[in-house]
Amino acid sequence: LHPTSIGQVWITDSVPPGLRDGQPLILSPAKRAYLDMMYTPESDIGHRWAAFIPLRQAYDWDPATAVVGARPGAILGVEALLW
């Protein structure tokens, strides 16, 4: 990657191999920040392909510690998606 590249991460289980050198990251975690996911299986509207995302799960997390293996300070921010 170019030294000024910014990575985007959808799955937070680990840092993708191309981003292990400390590139800055933008988080778009499907199981936290996709605004159009259903809250529960009983929800009337929304999608469920990524997860059911109760409000507490959507708001009660720390982006700075969300990606396993990310260097401290690498997280630039979060993109909340709506498809």
Side-chain angles (χ1 to χ4, degrees):
L1 291 176
H2 191 274
T4 61
S5 295
I6 297 173
Q8 187 165 7
V9 177
W10 291 269
I11 300 170
T12 58
D13 296 340
S14 65
V15 176
L19 301 174
R20 290 193 181 137
D21 294 331
Q23 283 85 2
L25 302 172
I26 295 174
L27 303 185
S28 303
K31 294 182 180 180
R32 299 277 187 179
Y34 275 60
L35 300 177
D36 56 351
M37 291 295 120
M38 295 173 141
Y39 299 131
T40 68
E42 293 78 31
S43 296
D44 291 331
I45 59 172
H47 300 286
R48 57 177 160 209
W49 61 264
F52 296 110
I53 306 176
L55 284 177
R56 180 167 303 280
Q57 181 176 327
Y59 287 100
D60 191 15
W61 63 289
D62 182 3
T65 60
V67 180
V68 175
R71 70 171 171 76
I75 309 302
L76 294 178
V78 176
E79 176 188 31
L81 294 106
L82 181 62
W83 291 92

